[in-house]
Amino acid sequence: MKKEISKSHALRRRLLSVLLICLITIMIIFVSVFDIVYKRSTNIVTSHTSKIASKTVDTTAHGFYQVTLGNLQLSLESFGTNICTVLGSLQDIPDIDQELVLETHMMDFFNIDASNKGNDVIGFTYSNGEFHSIPSEPECDRIIQEAVETINIEYAKEPSAHYQGGSFQSELEQYTENCMGTYTMEGQGFVCAWDHLNNYNVLYPDICYGIIMFNQNYYKGLINQIAAEQTDSLLGEMNGLFQKSIYVMIAVIAGMLILFIVISVILSKKLSDPIVSEHDMLVKVNEMKTTFLSDASHELKTPLATMSGYAQNAEMELVSGGDTATVQEKLKRISSEANRMALMVTQILDATRIEEGRMVLELAPCDLDALVRETVETYFAVLNKNNNKLALRIPLELPQVKADSSRLQRVFVNLISNALKHTKNGTILVKAEKEDNFIKATVKDTGSGISEEDMPHIWERYYKGKHSETGTGLGLFICKFIIESHGGKIWAESEVGKGTSFMFTLPVE
């Protein structure tokens, strides 16, 4: 007998060693892969956001230049009307120098400083192929020459996109009925608008006059600074999301490790009984292993695979320069699946506590309406995968019950989870009402229902039904224990194809 027990102990140690090594290996691999994805994603975000920022700067700058040009054209039109009025009032004065009058009033109208200090605006007139700066200063002549050369370079790139095509001067010489304008972000940035006196009075000679605004690229520096700040903020959010996801993963895997340790202790106690033969002990170990692997490993593998898929998709999105909002949504899905894994682990731990008689209730006055709403806000979005709707009907005047709120919340989570799992595009109704000295709560769905064959066994541990492919089979077992421990009762009514109602009662405080 001692020899049989010794062999059993050796087999137990090998089994537990293999399980623990596998779990630790999975944990190391998963955390390592996730850390690599995290670092690569951060590097990709850094490189791509700089490109996006550059494009944003160009787009924003074009908008700024267009608005500036539009305002400048409106001002020139207003100036044209005013200067023609002035020239009309001076037409009786002999030998009046119209260009001098034009220059003087342009400086006043556009607030052009004669010393050209602290002012990024100069005026000009153009006639007979020559520019005349306003004010007439060498520095102003130089700026006009630089502007003309820069604009001509732009014209040469796309001649078909301009009115006269050839050069900036050819457009100035062409009389048009409207105020014209152009801009270029090359060099220090120029915005130029011009008009003709003939547009406002045909009696005046065709004098082309205009305004050049320069040093307009200073806005790019401001935009680049804002873009850099936004990039830093985005990277900070990305770091926070990835780090939280890693912490959640580590916590879930640590919970699985604790679960393995708990099961190893249980196996140790079962296998240490000297009366049990080696065959019986091996059968029990195999049953425990099969149950755990079928209920835990299979169920936990699905969200792990989902999280891995979303992590890979997020990486691909970042590599291809995808939308940041899409990446953030995938990270939220990863967090959601992690919460779902945590719920599964909690269910298994609760079942273990019940089996060992270690589940202790902490009774206190409990508001059922607040508890249900908190449960729904926390878990409904995580559990709802089938496009279902939720309806709550709980009266505000409903009396309180004396219950363990955390355990009671577990009951609602399990019942709502079952309803969502077996219902597609339907409605989940949660309601409560007072009946005598009890509060009766109902969770009703419009799903597939429970067959008569399965109904007698739904409260049994690990029973999932012949038509159910998911779940651990622990939810209803835990619900029944918790409700009956509170002095209430729980039951179910169902019709195949029409839905199921789970009802339970709790004593009023």
Side-chain angles (χ1 to χ4, degrees):
M1 188 66 178
K2 290 182 179 179
K3 184 177 181 181
E4 290 179 350
I5 294 175
S6 177
K7 291 181 179 180
S8 177
H9 286 174
L11 179 63
R12 178 197 65 195
R13 285 193 296 269
R14 292 193 189 100
L15 175 63
L16 294 179
S17 298
V18 170
L19 291 175
L20 289 175
I21 291 171
C22 289
L23 180 62
I24 293 172
T25 303
I26 291 173
M27 180 179 67
I28 294 173
I29 293 174
F30 189 81
V31 172
S32 299
V33 170
F34 206 84
D35 184 60
I36 292 172
V37 172
Y38 161 68
K39 291 179 179 178
R40 289 191 61 187
S41 300
T42 302
N43 293 334
I44 292 170
V45 167
T46 303
S47 62
H48 282 271
T49 48
S50 61
K51 297 178 182 178
I52 294 172
S54 178
K55 292 180 180 179
T56 303
V57 168
D58 289 341
T59 302
T60 307
H62 275 294
F64 161 73
Y65 272 85
Q66 289 170 358
V67 170
T68 303
L69 178 59
N71 292 335
L72 197 56
Q73 288 175 311
L74 291 175
S75 298
L76 274 179
E77 290 175 354
S78 176
F79 173 75
T81 302
N82 292 337
I83 193 61
C84 284
T85 302
V86 172
L87 290 175
S89 65
L90 300 176
Q91 63 182 352
D92 295 333
I93 301 176
D95 300 328
I96 184 71
D97 189 343
Q98 293 181 342
E99 291 195 17
L100 179 61
V101 174
L102 178 66
E103 176 179 344
T104 303
H105 282 77
M106 182 177 287
M107 292 180 64
D108 291 339
F109 189 89
F110 291 99
N111 193 26
I112 299 175
D113 187 355
S115 63
N116 198 38
K117 294 181 179 179
N119 195 340
D120 293 338
V121 178
I122 59 174
F124 69 88
T125 60
Y126 180 81
S127 60
N128 299 321
E130 293 184 357
F131 286 93
H132 302 279
S133 61
I134 303 174
S136 181
E137 298 286 344
E139 178 63 18
C140 296
D141 293 337
R142 186 194 63 79
I143 292 173
I144 290 176
Q145 183 64 29
E146 182 181 347
V148 171
E149 291 175 356
T150 306
I151 294 173
N152 278 332
I153 292 173
E154 290 292 314
Y155 276 34
K157 292 179 181 177
E158 296 184 58
S160 60
H162 303 282
Y163 184 69
Q164 288 298 317
S167 66
F168 178 46
Q169 292 92 326
S170 62
E171 287 204 350
L172 294 177
E173 293 169 359
Q174 178 66 29
Y175 170 75
T176 60
E177 296 180 356
N178 300 314
C179 180
M180 301 293 288
T182 187
Y183 68 85
T184 175
M185 290 186 290
E186 297 298 325
Q188 57 182 324
F190 296 97
V191 180
C192 180
W194 64 90
D195 206 345
H196 294 261
L197 282 179
N198 284 0
N199 284 338
Y200 305 96
N201 195 321
V202 296
L203 299 177
Y204 299 125
D206 182 15
I207 298 177
C208 176
Y209 62 94
I211 292 294
I212 293 178
M213 299 182 70
F214 56 97
N215 286 336
Q216 298 304 298
N217 279 344
Y218 73 92
Y219 278 92
K220 279 192 175 183
L222 297 176
I223 297 171
N224 277 319
Q225 180 180 354
I226 295 173
E229 293 175 356
Q230 294 296 323
T231 300
D232 292 341
S233 176
L234 173 61
L235 288 175
E237 293 179 5
M238 287 290 297
N239 289 339
L241 286 171
F242 273 110
Q243 288 173 1
K244 288 178 182 178
S245 300
I246 291 175
Y247 295 152
V248 170
M249 294 304 100
I250 293 175
V252 170
I253 296 174
M256 294 173 61
L257 180 60
I258 294 173
L259 180 62
F260 270 98
I261 294 174
V262 170
I263 293 178
S264 69
V265 171
I266 296 173
L267 287 173
S268 178
K269 291 181 179 179
K270 295 293 184 181
L271 295 173
S272 61
D273 188 350
I275 301 176
V276 181
S277 66
E278 181 179 2
H279 178 268
D280 291 336
M281 286 188 291
L282 291 175
V283 169
K284 288 183 180 295
V285 170
N286 186 59
E287 289 177 354
M288 291 293 290
K289 180 186 71 174
T290 302
T291 300
F292 179 79
L293 292 177
S294 62
D295 294 336
S297 299
H298 177 73
E299 286 300 315
L300 294 175
K301 181 177 66 176
T302 301
L304 276 173
T306 302
M307 286 185 288
S308 178
Y310 278 124
Q312 293 175 8
N313 287 340
E315 181 184 5
M316 293 174 64
E317 285 284 342
L318 291 171
V319 170
S320 60
D323 185 25
T324 302
T326 304
V327 177
Q328 292 177 336
E329 179 62 26
K330 295 184 186 303
L331 294 176
K332 290 180 182 178
R333 294 290 181 88
I334 292 174
S335 179
S336 174
E337 291 299 321
N339 290 335
R340 212 155 63 90
M341 287 180 63
L343 287 175
M344 296 179 195
V345 173
T346 303
Q347 273 194 342
I348 299 174
L349 290 175
D350 282 345
T352 303
R353 293 188 186 100
I354 292 172
E355 192 71 22
E356 295 181 354
R358 295 188 294 107
M359 181 174 282
V360 180
L361 301 180
E362 298 179 2
L363 302 179
C366 178
D367 185 352
L368 205 61
D369 177 65
L371 185 141
V372 170
R373 293 185 184 277
E374 180 184 353
T375 303
V376 168
E377 290 176 1
T378 305
Y379 295 103
F380 185 79
V382 175
L383 299 172
N384 187 17
K385 305 295 182 183
N386 294 327
N387 196 30
N388 294 306
K389 298 179 180 178
L390 179 71
L392 299 180
R393 295 179 187 172
I394 301 178
L396 295 176
E397 65 275 11
L398 195 69
Q400 290 185 331
V401 296
K402 192 170 185 179
D404 186 330
S405 59
S406 63
R407 305 300 182 191
L408 193 55
Q409 187 181 60
R410 183 66 53 209
V411 172
F412 280 107
V413 170
N414 288 336
L415 294 181
I416 293 174
S417 173
N418 275 352
L420 292 170
K421 193 183 304 178
H422 297 95
T423 306
K424 294 184 178 180
N425 301 313
T427 301
I428 313 301
L429 171 65
V430 180
K431 67 176 182 177
E433 55 191 349
K434 186 175 183 298
E435 287 187 1
D436 299 328
N437 293 326
F438 291 86
I439 298 297
K440 177 184 176 184
T442 303
V443 178
K444 182 179 181 181
D445 63 63
T446 57
S448 57
I450 304 173
S451 66
E452 293 182 0
E453 181 183 5
D454 290 332
M455 184 64 77
H457 305 286
I458 60 175
W459 309 107
E460 296 174 7
R461 184 181 184 183
Y462 296 120
Y463 188 85
K464 298 190 294 185
K466 300 190 177 190
H467 303 289
S468 178
E469 298 179 357
T470 60
T472 59
L474 296 174
L476 294 180
F477 167 79
I478 295 171
C479 290
K480 187 173 188 297
F481 177 86
I482 292 174
I483 294 301
E484 291 180 352
S485 298
H486 281 82
K489 64 177 182 177
I490 185 170
W491 69 98
E493 297 174 359
S494 182
E495 186 174 352
V496 176
K498 293 188 177 180
T500 304
S501 297
F502 283 94
M503 292 149 284
F504 62 87
T505 59
L506 293 170
V508 176
E509 182 187 12

